[in-house]
Amino acid sequence: MSTMIQAIRMALHVGESRLGVTDIFGEDVGPPLGGVFTGSQGLKTAWNTPLDERGIVGTAIGLALAGQKPVAEIQFCDYAFNTIDLLKIAGNTCWASGGDWNVPLVLMTPVGAGIRGSLYHSHSFDAQATRIPGWKIVMPSTPRDAYGLLLSAIRDPNPVMFLMPKALLRVKSRPGEDVPGEPGDDKRLAQMIDAPLGDRSAWQPSWPELEELYIPIGEATVARTGSHVTVISYGRNVPMCLAAAEQLAAEGIDTEVIDLRSLHPFDWPAIEASVRKTAKVLCVNEDTEITNFGEHLIRRIIEELFYELHAPPKLLAGAAIPGIGLADHLEMASVPQVESIKAAIAELARTEP
Amino acid sequence: MSTMIQAIRMALHVGESRLGVTDIFGEDVGPPLGGVFTGSQGLKTAWNTPLDERGIVGTAIGLALAGQKPVAEIQFCDYAFNTIDLLKIAGNTCWASGGDWNVPLVLMTPVGAGIRGSLYHSHSFDAQATRIPGWKIVMPSTPRDAYGLLLSAIRDPNPVMFLMPKALLRVKSRPGEDVPGEPGDDKRLAQMIDAPLGDRSAWQPSWPELEELYIPIGEATVARTGSHVTVISYGRNVPMCLAAAEQLAAEGIDTEVIDLRSLHPFDWPAIEASVRKTAKVLCVNEDTEITNFGEHLIRRIIEELFYELHAPPKLLAGAAIPGIGLADHLEMASVPQVESIKAAIAELARTEP
Amino acid sequence: MSSASPNLSVAPPSGHLSAESCLQIYDLMLRARILEERLISMYKQGDGYFWIGGPGEEAFNVPLGLLADKGAGVDHDYLHLHYRSSATLLAMGADPIDSLRQMRNVATDPYSKGRNFAGHYSKREWNIVPVTSPIEVQFSIAIGTARAQRKGSGAKGITIVQGGDAGTAEGDFATALVWSSRKGNELPLLMIVTNNRYGISTAFQGQHGYEQIADRGKAFGMQTAVVDGNDPEASYAALQRALHYVRTEKKPLLLEAMVSRLRGHSSASGANLVKGEVDCLEKFEATLEARKLIGKDDIAKRRAAITAELLDASMQIRDEPAPSPDSIWEHVFADHNLVGGER
Amino acid sequence: MSSASPNLSVAPPSGHLSAESCLQIYDLMLRARILEERLISMYKQGDGYFWIGGPGEEAFNVPLGLLADKGAGVDHDYLHLHYRSSATLLAMGADPIDSLRQMRNVATDPYSKGRNFAGHYSKREWNIVPVTSPIEVQFSIAIGTARAQRKGSGAKGITIVQGGDAGTAEGDFATALVWSSRKGNELPLLMIVTNNRYGISTAFQGQHGYEQIADRGKAFGMQTAVVDGNDPEASYAALQRALHYVRTEKKPLLLEAMVSRLRGHSSASGANLVKGEVDCLEKFEATLEARKLIGKDDIAKRRAAITAELLDASMQIRDEPAPSPDSIWEHVFADHNLVGGER
Ligand SMILES: Cc1ncc(C[n+]2csc(CCOP(=O)(O)OP(=O)(O)O)c2C)c(N)n1
Ligand SMILES: Cc1ncc(C[n+]2csc(CCOP(=O)(O)OP(=O)(O)O)c2C)c(N)n1
Ligand SMILES: [Mg+2]
Ligand SMILES: [Mg+2]
């Protein structure tokens, strides 16, 4: 029963010990802290960079061009917006050089709301990320998926963005979501791989015997099967959609929840199969709702499945405002909540063709 | 018969001589060049900045906060992607301070393909711009609209982005598209306000007696009325859509073309009225098609007018690839052309409900 | 003359300030320290979600607040501050209760209406530009207010921008150096780096190629200075000199102040007392005692009085309303050009 | 020893290179100049959409190409070049016909398959990282290849990054200075600024606060040098010293080369001859004549021969195919880790 952040740490350990990862770096990623969310504690190749996101992304690109395997972190995606030009270069170098160069790097960054982070610790990055061609974009909602997607990202010869749902990083895995090889007992796991509080200069992690698991980039998973409405989501919103679905089951509404996991490329066949079955679809994400990735999913569905639909596809996303406010009411009113997801599903379910 | 770039120059002259514009600045914006597209020739307050887009946007924000009226230019929108964080700050300062501060600045930048600009002189910015809350976004397709929208942008107390369709900057206005007060004879206008070639240190423009014209931000215009299909576009693609419509008229297809002009806020009533009439809609823009602003328009149409539609709304946009290639075939295959627009309209027109 | 330091005599040759000035500064340092302690306990009691602030910077930030030319518009100083500037605000005359309101994110928070973190001040009336979480962007924005005040503009004010040591690695710091020192186009910009030798968990050591960050200004031919930010009198004198230079020459100056970080980075790292850091308040108390300007009992009394005052204040705001959900839609756009003087 | 300058003797005390070396350098400078002239006439004849290149930088860029350790991978030098680097490519052994192919944006263009502008080179086989249009980003990327070659890595190569003078105002230039000079974490990075005193239409004068851009390195405690980039022998010697230092110390060095911009910024400004700029080729011809190493007639002959050769080359590619519309979909993603050694 690992947490997602422990699963990420274990994947990085497998990365640096078996898959050739040479550098895991970013602000406060190295000792003593090992990442503001502890994701890089106890890793051999983790180091602290200067406070300069442009340098971090540039270093990642350069290391990749030099045949290394860098995993770079932007401490919060809220602070990646001064590097979009460099992210575009990471994504266009292979194409611009006519295939002469590839850029095998992984960029990790925590995203989303849910921790009362106010204006600059609540940003989503999925809409921005899916606008940068040449990148693969993944976003897990369980520890096991985080582990398996990160290993696939490390092995990919292209730039891969690994979006970490902030609010889920410390949530424990549910049965079946374990990392293959982790000890069943979570206290034990914590003793093995969590750095102690206080002085940790002498501390060494003892890693479990981990098996490699590669969740293919581009494969969604049906987190809940249902027949009335299809909900397409990813990251933090997936457990919310599942909770909403459970509550609606009592009201006789049978909801299918697709956890997209990969935003680019995404699993169109999985979406198509589900929408053909339910004829009703809701897209849920936290990013601001104007020029939003869910709008792309809806456009694609409209283009290809218009005549299958029994109701207009809906988007439930973040309010189109300049920031997410600190106070409870403000954050709650700005991004989808279980209640608003329930209401949207129910409305779709009740729509008569 | 001014060109769009002359209309922009005339608006900036009115801005600095009557509307309190204090600084018009950017790379090569001041003497001797007066802008790589000549947009700031002969202006009193135009000056050259260091080659630093972050400094340009930061300076614009600071000048605005200090109660000045800055008009900043990013030489090509392709080079604005290292400033997205600052653009977000321009857009969130009023909100973050609970209304304590406003940020009255205008940011101009040339956008789009059509000049064989290859990877870094062909970018569109409409999708990125509409993702930055707190900004108003305008994009003209005629000299007159450029003049009237720029004057409205200058007078607005908020940050306004003025997207200049590169490929239209040197196109002459058609009848009725003149700038109020410009001399009818374009040779005469050129003599008055275009800087001479070679040494221009002694040159002074002589400005025509210009009337002020304010095209309200948020108001679209119906560039062509029609009854079979609604085409929603802006900037460079508008003349293309009009050409396609004219050619299709011969085939008995009657196309309505809406020139959105303002992308945020946009004119929903104009869209609604047209779609209720035609029941078929095509959105055309040049930006990459994944997480594209046209997808927002389609989602809104689906949400509000689903049952009015006789065909699935279509998007014709830029290919989702890392860049626009230099060679003719490559650029043509990457962004909408008159032929592809015609085909898309015709397909919609022929769709049976 | 400008409204700066209205009731403070210029430092006499000895380098000591007058008794009156010392006590005023001490009182403000103490209030600032106790304010931060109150904010930290509010955080620990669950009366706020996040704390970040300035314990350890009072000896520098109080003189800054006293010496800045306070007011609205280009004839006064613009302040682009860091998130550790509570002492500067108090020295300028801010009411500490408003900091508590922001910590509690209530609708009455005058700095952000319950939207932003503690220490994220904004006050147009005093030219205090909204503090932003993104590190160092204030250095790119400050060149804009400074340009509005450049030589020949007729503006009487200057621009002051402040940030931490780690943040100087961002390109924005270089942007401020480049843009403020252009030959013939210099800007009246005082750049302040408060160097506490840390960026969150990352030590200065091993991240920088120079001994002092102030050295980076030298390449640009600008005036630079380094001051012991734990000494309020030295800080006062250094700021007075720096402000005088920037005000009269209308040219940039880079000032580095060596300060302490007494409660660690933020609540994320516990906000507990850190060992081995100089405490400017204790140090100044010792100085004042040695000079017989204050006694142990006065100190205890003042401390108790201010603590009680702030405890009352925190009680007073207990029932102030939270912002309403619908308020998220307010102020997305402005209807008037407030900075342009419209109402 | 490294493959650098295989057939060039080290500069003798006199500062003069051997006759053989001088003639080799001259020949390469001449070829580079004539190549650019050919590209410009192709542009003017409508055989290309845009020209940008290096007339006026041959005296510096040829020695750079000769001295760089050519090869693939961390044991050779990575080159993050500017868009005026044709002379460097030719000195490394590139075939000029490939530059014509890129100008004509034909499918056979080995640097970008008809996708990018002239002068935007890319050659993994020689560690030539794709030239990017965005100014200065190469300085943020170069620190990454340099890190892969840092002290202790065992890598034999170093990283060379080059850009113009105006571009140093971008934060990326500061990023390279900060990241390459971190105490104890220095990077083997040679930073080159080719200073032609212009950014498009904007003169150096009035945009910078220092006399020499190289001064900016001093604040970081790094080695700096300024060289007359119009003198190939001085440039050769300066590069040799700089490369030796970076190679052996594994530390950064900032080298500023004063160069000319003989055809203006690009075809956007006409690409015509500019008055009042030193022409390094004419200057070197005069030197070689004075040293009796070459005569007017040889010069005329060589010029005629190379001109004819390049004219033939431009004929040869006339009928090479344009890239197909569908090719836009190629190489969006890589199937193999080429940089990791996969085929
Ligand atoms: C652009 C950006 N990157 C990262 C962060 C996260 N962060 C917040 S404070 C901080 C350290 C700042 O250190 P320093 O500049 O020395 O200021 P100090 O907190 O020490 O006063 C970091 C990395 C941020 N707020 N902004
Ligand atoms: C980030 C960015 N901003 C603007 C431009 C447009 N531009 C192309 S070249 C140039 C001037 C570059 O001057 P300098 O760095 O001195 O190099 P030079 O061309 O003189 O060799 C500018 C502004 C660009 N290519 N990239
Ligand atoms: Mg610090
Ligand atoms: Mg130059």
Side-chain angles (χ1 to χ4, degrees):
Chain A
M1 279 169 59
S2 54
T3 61
M4 188 182 291
I5 199 67
Q6 287 174 319
I8 288 167
R9 207 187 304 151
M10 290 189 275
L12 292 173
H13 163 66
V14 171
E16 69 176 12
S17 52
R18 301 186 219 165
L19 307 181
V21 167
T22 54
D23 291 85
I24 298 165
F25 59 102
E27 293 155 10
D28 306 292
V29 161
L33 192 59
V36 290
F37 290 100
T38 76
S40 44
Q41 287 181 346
L43 296 171
K44 294 191 306 291
T45 62
W47 55 280
N48 290 329
T49 66
L51 204 178
D52 174 16
E53 288 73 21
R54 296 187 60 76
I56 291 168
V57 175
T59 297
I61 296 171
L63 282 167
L65 294 174
Q68 314 293 297
K69 250 299 174 188
V71 178
E73 176 176 278
I74 299 295
Q75 197 165 69
F76 293 90
C77 76
D78 314 60
Y79 304 125
F81 290 92
N82 59 340
T83 70
I84 305 302
D85 62 321
L86 290 168
L87 297 180
K88 287 167 70 70
I89 287 171
N92 71 24
T93 295
C94 181
W95 191 89
S97 64
D100 190 23
W101 295 82
N102 66 300
V103 187
L105 67 84
V106 176
L107 186 72
M108 317 197 307
T109 190
V111 301
I115 63 163
R116 302 296 182 266
S118 81
L119 278 84
Y120 279 97
H121 299 78
S122 303
H123 265 100
S124 290
F125 208 67
D126 43 299
Q128 179 73 64
T130 53
R131 283 206 41 72
I132 310 179
W135 280 80
K136 298 182 180 180
I137 318 290
V138 301
M139 187 166 177
S141 78
T142 72
R144 183 183 175 85
D145 284 353
Y147 179 81
L149 285 168
L150 186 45
L151 290 189
S152 293
I154 288 169
R155 227 173 37 172
D156 201 283
N158 298 286
V160 182
M161 210 178 294
F162 184 82
L163 303 179
M164 303 155 67
K166 215 182 283 136
L168 300 182
L169 291 175
R170 299 197 165 108
V171 177
K172 287 216 187 311
S173 58
R174 291 161 301 186
E177 291 176 356
D178 293 0
V179 170
E182 71 166 277
D185 169 10
D186 52 348
K187 300 242 175 339
R188 174 103 188 72
L189 179 64
Q191 284 157 2
M192 292 173 75
I193 70 169
D194 290 357
L197 295 178
D199 176 28
R200 43 183 74 163
S201 45
W203 171 73
Q204 290 286 349
S206 82
W207 300 100
E209 282 307 319
L210 298 163
E211 292 160 36
E212 287 166 39
L213 166 70
Y214 296 93
I215 293 180
I217 296 176
E219 245 186 43
T221 180
V222 178
R224 185 185 195 281
T225 52
S227 55
H228 298 160
V229 177
T230 297
V231 178
I232 306 170
S233 192
Y234 39 83
R236 178 194 174 202
N237 292 140
V238 171
M240 293 178 156
C241 294
L242 290 170
E246 288 315 319
Q247 295 175 32
L248 288 169
E251 302 172 28
I253 296 171
D254 185 23
T255 309
E256 178 145 305
V257 178
I258 294 180
D259 180 352
L260 210 52
R261 298 195 299 194
S262 290
L263 281 60
H264 191 81
F266 65 86
D267 190 342
W268 173 250
I271 293 174
E272 180 171 20
S274 181
V275 173
R276 283 189 185 283
K277 177 172 65 175
T278 64
K280 295 175 175 181
V281 59
L282 170 70
C283 293
V284 182
N285 68 63
E286 289 195 328
D287 213 333
T288 49
E289 52 125 16
I290 297 177
T291 313
N292 173 293
F293 177 60
E295 297 181 318
H296 173 69
L297 296 174
I298 288 174
R299 194 258 298 183
R300 179 85 182 268
I301 290 164
I302 287 293
E303 257 180 16
E304 304 202 17
L305 301 171
F306 187 72
Y307 299 102
E308 316 294 324
L309 295 168
H310 293 172
K314 276 182 81 57
L315 173 69
L316 188 64
I321 52 177
I324 291 185
L326 176 59
D328 290 31
H329 290 332
L330 303 181
E331 180 179 314
M332 306 279 284
S334 301
V335 291
Q337 306 294 332
V338 172
E339 280 313 311
S340 53
I341 296 169
K342 271 174 66 180
I345 297 172
E347 188 194 327
L348 273 170
R350 297 202 189 87
T351 311
E352 297 298 333
Chain B
M1 280 168 58
S2 53
T3 61
M4 187 182 289
I5 199 68
Q6 287 175 319
I8 288 167
R9 207 186 304 151
M10 290 189 275
L12 292 173
H13 164 68
V14 171
E16 67 176 14
S17 52
R18 300 186 220 165
L19 306 180
V21 167
T22 53
D23 292 84
I24 298 165
F25 59 102
E27 293 155 10
D28 306 293
V29 161
L33 193 58
V36 290
F37 290 101
T38 76
S40 44
Q41 288 181 344
L43 296 170
K44 294 191 305 291
T45 62
W47 56 281
N48 290 330
T49 65
L51 204 177
D52 174 16
E53 289 72 23
R54 296 186 61 76
I56 291 168
V57 175
T59 297
I61 296 171
L63 282 166
L65 294 173
Q68 313 295 297
K69 249 301 174 188
V71 178
E73 175 176 279
I74 299 294
Q75 196 164 71
F76 292 90
C77 76
D78 313 58
Y79 304 125
F81 290 92
N82 60 339
T83 70
I84 305 303
D85 61 320
L86 290 168
L87 298 178
K88 286 167 71 71
I89 287 171
N92 72 23
T93 295
C94 181
W95 191 89
S97 64
D100 190 22
W101 295 82
N102 65 300
V103 186
L105 66 84
V106 176
L107 185 72
M108 317 197 306
T109 189
V111 301
I115 63 162
R116 302 295 182 268
S118 81
L119 278 83
Y120 279 97
H121 299 78
S122 303
H123 265 99
S124 291
F125 208 67
D126 43 300
Q128 179 74 62
T130 53
R131 284 205 42 70
I132 310 179
W135 280 79
K136 298 184 179 179
I137 318 291
V138 301
M139 187 165 176
S141 77
T142 72
R144 183 184 175 87
D145 284 354
Y147 179 81
L149 285 169
L150 187 47
L151 290 189
S152 294
I154 289 168
R155 227 173 37 173
D156 200 282
N158 298 287
V160 182
M161 210 177 294
F162 184 81
L163 303 179
M164 302 154 68
K166 213 180 286 138
L168 300 182
L169 290 175
R170 300 198 162 111
V171 177
K172 287 213 186 312
S173 56
R174 293 162 299 187
E177 290 174 358
D178 293 0
V179 170
E182 71 166 277
D185 170 9
D186 51 348
K187 299 239 175 347
R188 175 105 187 71
L189 179 64
Q191 283 157 5
M192 292 173 76
I193 69 168
D194 291 356
L197 296 179
D199 177 30
R200 44 183 71 165
S201 46
W203 172 73
Q204 290 287 350
S206 82
W207 300 100
E209 282 308 319
L210 297 164
E211 293 159 35
E212 287 165 41
L213 166 71
Y214 296 93
I215 294 180
I217 296 176
E219 245 187 41
T221 181
V222 178
R224 184 184 196 283
T225 52
S227 55
H228 298 160
V229 177
T230 297
V231 178
I232 306 171
S233 192
Y234 39 82
R236 178 194 175 202
N237 291 141
V238 171
M240 293 178 156
C241 293
L242 290 170
E246 289 314 319
Q247 295 175 31
L248 288 169
E251 302 172 26
I253 296 172
D254 185 23
T255 309
E256 178 146 303
V257 178
I258 295 182
D259 181 352
L260 209 52
R261 298 194 299 194
S262 290
L263 281 59
H264 192 82
F266 65 85
D267 190 341
W268 173 250
I271 292 174
E272 180 172 20
S274 182
V275 174
R276 283 189 184 283
K277 177 172 65 175
T278 65
K280 295 176 175 179
V281 59
L282 170 70
C283 293
V284 182
N285 69 63
E286 289 195 330
D287 213 333
T288 48
E289 52 123 17
I290 297 176
T291 312
N292 174 294
F293 177 60
E295 297 181 318
H296 173 68
L297 296 174
I298 288 174
R299 194 257 299 182
R300 179 83 182 269
I301 290 163
I302 286 292
E303 258 179 14
E304 304 201 18
L305 302 170
F306 187 72
Y307 299 101
E308 315 294 323
L309 295 168
H310 293 172
K314 273 181 84 58
L315 173 69
L316 188 64
I321 53 177
I324 290 185
L326 175 58
D328 289 29
H329 291 331
L330 303 181
E331 180 178 315
M332 306 280 283
S334 301
V335 291
Q337 306 294 331
V338 172
E339 280 313 310
S340 53
I341 295 169
K342 268 175 66 179
I345 297 172
E347 188 195 327
L348 273 170
R350 297 203 187 90
T351 311
E352 298 298 336
Chain C
M1 81 148 237
S2 91
S3 72
S5 59
N7 43 21
L8 269 168
S9 56
V10 171
S14 77
H16 289 182
L17 293 171
S18 69
E20 173 203 4
S21 307
C22 286
L23 292 175
Q24 183 197 13
I25 290 174
Y26 170 67
D27 191 66
L28 286 163
M29 288 171 64
L30 184 61
R31 293 176 71 77
R33 177 67 56 87
I34 294 170
L35 169 59
E36 295 285 9
E37 286 166 354
R38 165 86 348 238
L39 292 171
I40 290 169
S41 30
M42 283 175 72
Y43 164 77
K44 292 190 172 181
Q45 290 156 16
D47 286 340
Y49 292 112
F50 180 77
W51 170 83
I52 193 160
E57 298 194 4
E58 298 89 348
F60 182 86
N61 288 343
V62 163
L64 177 60
L66 291 170
L67 289 167
D69 181 338
K70 183 173 101 180
V74 294
D75 288 333
H76 301 280
D77 297 347
Y78 283 97
L79 288 99
H80 303 258
L81 299 174
H82 197 34
Y83 43 67
R84 304 196 188 278
S85 301
S86 53
T88 304
L89 267 284
L90 292 192
M92 290 177 82
D95 186 336
I97 195 170
D98 288 333
S99 298
L100 306 186
R101 291 186 163 113
Q102 189 171 39
M103 170 52 94
R104 214 176 144 73
N105 50 82
V106 285
T108 49
D109 153 26
Y111 303 125
S112 69
K113 300 222 167 123
R115 293 171 176 185
N116 218 336
F117 281 152
H120 286 58
Y121 297 106
S122 165
K123 197 172 175 66
R124 185 162 51 85
E125 195 190 342
W126 294 350
N127 279 357
I128 294 172
V129 170
V131 171
T132 56
S133 297
I135 293 293
E136 224 63 7
V137 291
Q138 69 271 33
F139 282 81
S140 285
I141 294 168
I143 56 180
T145 54
R147 176 167 171 92
Q149 300 169 310
R150 69 190 180 282
K151 194 180 211 114
S153 69
K156 293 203 195 63
I158 66 161
T159 290
I160 300 165
V161 59
Q162 183 174 27
D165 50 304
T168 60
E170 295 275 3
D172 299 276
F173 183 69
T175 287
L177 294 172
V178 169
W179 287 63
S180 65
S181 65
R182 296 164 59 213
K183 285 222 185 75
N185 301 299
E186 291 85 355
L187 299 178
L189 180 65
L190 173 58
M191 287 166 275
I192 296 169
V193 175
T194 32
N195 184 350
N196 58 19
R197 304 173 324 287
Y198 282 98
I200 304 187
S201 71
T202 304
F204 186 93
Q205 227 276 345
Q207 297 293 348
H208 304 264
Y210 30 76
E211 291 308 326
Q212 296 287 166
I213 290 167
D215 297 344
R216 287 189 61 184
K218 297 200 174 114
F220 297 83
M222 70 176 62
Q223 297 279 321
T224 65
V226 180
V227 64
D228 174 3
N230 278 318
D231 178 339
E233 292 176 291
S235 298
Y236 188 89
L239 277 163
Q240 210 170 26
R241 270 194 302 277
L243 288 163
H244 178 76
Y245 171 82
V246 175
R247 234 180 262 295
T248 51
E249 297 294 316
K250 292 273 184 183
K251 288 188 171 164
L253 187 146
L254 175 58
L255 173 62
E256 177 177 8
M258 306 307 295
V259 298
S260 296
R261 200 180 65 169
L262 296 177
R263 293 298 197 120
H265 176 69
S266 71
S267 54
S269 48
N272 301 315
L273 266 177
V274 176
K275 285 178 213 53
E277 296 265 318
V278 177
D279 183 331
C280 59
L281 189 63
E282 284 176 7
K283 196 158 150 279
F284 198 41
E285 281 172 351
T287 307
L288 298 183
E289 283 184 63
R291 288 191 209 158
K292 305 266 178 298
L293 295 176
I294 193 167
K296 287 242 176 303
D297 47 352
D298 311 318
I299 294 176
K301 278 211 214 70
R302 284 171 189 250
R303 198 172 249 294
I306 300 169
T307 307
E309 183 192 323
L310 285 174
L311 193 59
D312 290 352
S314 64
M315 295 305 168
Q316 182 187 325
I317 66 165
R318 272 207 159 302
D319 307 322
E320 290 181 352
S324 73
D326 292 353
S327 70
I328 64 171
W329 301 108
E330 294 165 8
H331 310 300
V332 173
F333 288 115
D335 316 327
H336 304 289
N337 187 7
L338 303 164
V339 295
E342 284 175 30
R343 298 260 143 277
Chain D
M1 77 146 240
S2 90
S3 72
S5 60
N7 43 21
L8 270 167
S9 55
V10 173
S14 78
H16 290 184
L17 292 170
S18 69
E20 174 203 5
S21 305
C22 285
L23 292 175
Q24 182 196 15
I25 290 174
Y26 169 66
D27 191 65
L28 286 164
M29 287 172 64
L30 184 62
R31 293 177 72 75
R33 177 66 57 87
I34 294 170
L35 168 58
E36 295 286 8
E37 287 166 354
R38 164 86 350 234
L39 292 171
I40 290 169
S41 29
M42 283 175 73
Y43 163 78
K44 292 190 171 181
Q45 291 156 13
D47 287 339
Y49 292 112
F50 180 77
W51 170 83
I52 193 159
E57 297 195 6
E58 298 89 347
F60 182 86
N61 288 344
V62 164
L64 177 60
L66 291 170
L67 289 167
D69 182 338
K70 184 173 100 180
V74 295
D75 288 331
H76 301 280
D77 297 348
Y78 283 97
L79 288 100
H80 303 258
L81 299 173
H82 196 34
Y83 43 66
R84 305 198 188 274
S85 301
S86 53
T88 304
L89 267 285
L90 292 192
M92 291 176 81
D95 186 337
I97 196 170
D98 288 333
S99 298
L100 307 185
R101 291 186 164 113
Q102 190 172 39
M103 168 54 89
R104 210 176 149 72
N105 49 81
V106 284
T108 48
D109 154 27
Y111 304 125
S112 69
K113 299 220 165 128
R115 293 171 176 185
N116 217 336
F117 280 153
H120 286 56
Y121 296 107
S122 165
K123 197 171 176 66
R124 184 162 51 87
E125 196 190 339
W126 296 351
N127 278 356
I128 294 171
V129 170
V131 172
T132 57
S133 297
I135 293 293
E136 224 62 6
V137 291
Q138 69 270 32
F139 281 81
S140 285
I141 294 169
I143 56 180
T145 54
R147 175 166 173 92
Q149 300 169 311
R150 69 191 180 282
K151 195 180 210 110
S153 68
K156 294 202 193 68
I158 65 162
T159 290
I160 300 164
V161 59
Q162 184 174 26
D165 51 304
T168 60
E170 296 275 5
D172 299 277
F173 183 69
T175 287
L177 294 171
V178 168
W179 286 64
S180 65
S181 64
R182 296 163 61 213
K183 285 222 184 74
N185 300 300
E186 292 84 355
L187 299 179
L189 180 65
L190 172 58
M191 288 165 275
I192 296 169
V193 176
T194 32
N195 183 351
N196 57 22
R197 305 172 326 285
Y198 282 97
I200 304 187
S201 70
T202 304
F204 185 93
Q205 227 275 347
Q207 296 294 347
H208 304 264
Y210 29 77
E211 291 307 326
Q212 295 289 167
I213 289 167
D215 297 345
R216 286 189 62 185
K218 296 198 175 116
F220 297 82
M222 72 176 63
Q223 297 277 321
T224 66
V226 180
V227 63
D228 174 3
N230 278 318
D231 178 339
E233 291 175 293
S235 298
Y236 188 89
L239 278 163
Q240 208 169 29
R241 271 193 303 276
L243 287 164
H244 178 76
Y245 171 83
V246 175
R247 237 180 259 296
T248 51
E249 297 293 316
K250 291 273 183 186
K251 287 188 173 166
L253 187 147
L254 175 57
L255 173 62
E256 178 177 8
M258 307 307 294
V259 298
S260 296
R261 200 180 65 168
L262 297 176
R263 293 299 198 116
H265 176 69
S266 71
S267 54
S269 48
N272 301 315
L273 266 176
V274 176
K275 284 179 213 52
E277 295 266 318
V278 178
D279 183 330
C280 58
L281 189 63
E282 286 175 7
K283 198 158 148 281
F284 198 44
E285 282 171 350
T287 308
L288 297 182
E289 283 182 64
R291 288 191 210 157
K292 306 270 182 295
L293 294 176
I294 193 168
K296 286 241 177 304
D297 47 353
D298 310 319
I299 294 176
K301 275 208 216 72
R302 285 172 189 249
R303 197 173 249 292
I306 298 168
T307 308
E309 182 192 327
L310 285 174
L311 193 60
D312 290 351
S314 65
M315 295 306 165
Q316 182 186 326
I317 66 166
R318 272 210 160 302
D319 307 322
E320 289 182 350
S324 74
D326 292 352
S327 70
I328 65 172
W329 301 108
E330 293 165 10
H331 310 299
V332 172
F333 288 115
D335 316 327
H336 304 287
N337 187 7
L338 303 165
V339 295
E342 283 175 32
R343 296 260 146 280

